[in-house]
Amino acid sequence: MSNYREELYAVYSKERDKLNGASLETGARYDRIVMTLSGGALVISLTFLEKVAQNPIPWTLWLIVPAWLLLLGSVILQLLTFAASQDAIRLQIDRLDNEYTFYFSFTDPAEAVERREPEGVNRFVTRATRFNTCSRWSLIIGMLLLFAFSACNLLK
C-alpha cells in the first residue's frame, strides 16, 4: 500500500509541476502581450494621429483622450502587476522557509501538524490579480475607443 501511495504522489507531483510551469509560462506571455498591445497602440496612435485624422471631428476627441489614458493606465497597471508578482513570490519563499524551519524543529510530525497555524492568503497574489484584471479591461476599452475614434474620422 505504501508503494502505491508513493507512486501516486510521484505521478501527482510530476503532473502538478508541469501544470504549474505551463501556468507560469502562459502568465508571462500574457503579461508581455498586454504590455506590447497597450504600449504599441498608445505609441502608434500618438505617432500617426495626423495621418488618421488630420482634422478630427471635434466630438471624437472625447474618444481619443480617454483611449490614451486607458492605454497608459494599462501599461502602468501591468508594471504594478509585475511588482506585485515579485512580492508574492518573495512572500511565498519566506513562508516556505519558515515552514521548513518550523517542521524541522519537531521530532514528532503529528505534533508539528497539530501546532502549525495556517498562513492565510498571499495578499500580493490578490493584488497582482486585481491589477491584471484592471489592466486587461483598460486595454480592451482603450482599444475600442481608439477604434471608434479612427472609424469616425476615417469615414467622415
Side-chain angles (χ1 to χ4, degrees), residues 30 43-44 52 64 81 85 95 100 118-119:
Y30 169 82
V43 168
I44 288 172
V52 172
I64 193 74
T81 299
S85 295
R95 286 180 174 182
Y100 176 76
E119 291 286 351

Side-chain angles (χ1 to χ4, degrees), residues 56-114:
I57 301 168
W59 69 266
T60 61
L61 295 176
W62 290 101
L63 296 172
I64 193 74
V65 173
W68 286 336
L69 292 174
L70 286 165
L71 292 170
L72 179 61
S74 181
V75 170
I76 292 169
L77 286 164
Q78 205 59 44
L79 292 173
L80 292 171
T81 299
F82 292 150
S85 295
Q86 286 181 323
D87 291 339
I89 291 168
R90 271 191 236 110
L91 179 59
Q92 282 307 118
I93 289 170
D94 288 344
R95 286 180 174 182
L96 188 61
D97 291 346
N98 291 337
E99 188 173 308
Y100 176 76
T101 303
F102 177 82
Y103 282 112
F104 191 72
S105 67
F106 284 88
T107 54
D108 180 16
E111 182 184 357
V113 170
E114 190 176 295

